[in-house]
């Protein structure tokens, strides 16, 4: 899965447990995340730390987190992220991760820009473990 969508669809894309076109997500509840601007400070729920194989609450930079994406996934994510920020669109993307605790994991990333008083202040969204879809 790899596509962008208009920001007006934000509410329907962020319904918990729903991915796209009413397909249910395997693997339970999503992790919540936020990347604040201009610092790119990451705020993650415990479920996101678990996806990346990191200790819950660990301080991690965006650069460190992005290094845990497989190269092809990192490139696709950066393209969609840049497009989303430039054109004020959300995006959905399945990415391959290399968690620090080993192995391979697939994650569905749902993201949308967040604005306060008309100013872009963050990119935020959901992260789901969808590894079962890639076995």
């Amino acid at each position: 899965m790899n596509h962008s969508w208009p920001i007006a669809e934000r509410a329907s894309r962020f319904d918990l447990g729903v991915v796209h076109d009413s397909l249910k997500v395997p693997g339970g509840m999503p992790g919540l995340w936020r990347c604040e601007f201009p610092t790119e400070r990451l705020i993650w729920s415990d479920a996101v730390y678990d996806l990346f194989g990191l200790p819950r609450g660990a301080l991690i930079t965006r650069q460190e987190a992005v290094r845990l994406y497989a190269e092809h996934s990192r490139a696709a994510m950066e393209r969609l992220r840049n497009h989303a920020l430039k054109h004020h669109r959300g995006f959905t993307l399945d990415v391959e991760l290399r968690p620090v605790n080993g192995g391979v994991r697939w994650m569905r990333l749902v993201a949308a820009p967040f604005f306060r008083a008309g100013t872009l202040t963050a990119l935020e969204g959901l992260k789901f473990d969808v590894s079962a879809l890639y076995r």
Side-chain angles (χ1 to χ4, degrees):
M1 179 170 290
N2 175 348
H3 64 281
S4 76
W5 36 266
I7 200 75
E9 293 181 10
R10 180 186 180 97
S12 67
R13 302 294 177 150
F14 281 75
D15 285 342
L16 293 181
V18 177
V19 180
H20 181 62
D21 297 333
S22 301
L23 296 175
K24 290 292 180 186
V25 177
M29 294 300 289
L32 305 174
W33 64 275
R34 173 179 266 235
C35 180
E36 296 183 334
F37 301 125
T39 62
E40 292 201 328
R41 178 175 80 111
L42 298 178
I43 301 169
W44 287 356
S45 69
D46 288 347
V48 175
Y49 284 103
D50 295 348
L51 280 168
F52 284 85
L54 292 163
R56 292 177 175 184
L59 294 177
I60 185 166
T61 66
R62 180 176 181 277
Q63 184 179 12
E64 291 167 331
V66 168
R67 279 196 290 253
L68 298 174
Y69 287 62
E71 181 58 39
H72 62 95
S73 291
R74 180 177 30 239
M77 186 270 302
E78 292 290 6
R79 276 191 309 274
L80 274 172
R81 181 182 192 271
N82 291 335
H83 182 80
L85 296 175
K86 181 178 179 181
H87 298 287
H88 301 175
R89 294 181 62 86
F91 68 92
T92 304
L93 175 68
D94 285 2
V95 295
E96 183 180 358
L97 297 177
R98 304 284 189 221
V100 296
N101 56 359
V104 172
R105 179 171 287 145
W106 283 89
M107 176 182 74
R108 180 152 301 155
L109 171 60
V110 181
F114 179 82
F115 298 88
R116 179 168 283 130
T119 301
L120 176 65
T121 61
L123 189 65
E124 62 184 9
L126 307 172
K127 295 182 183 210
F128 300 87
D129 185 341
V130 293
S131 299
L133 298 175
Y134 291 88
R135 289 188 185 131

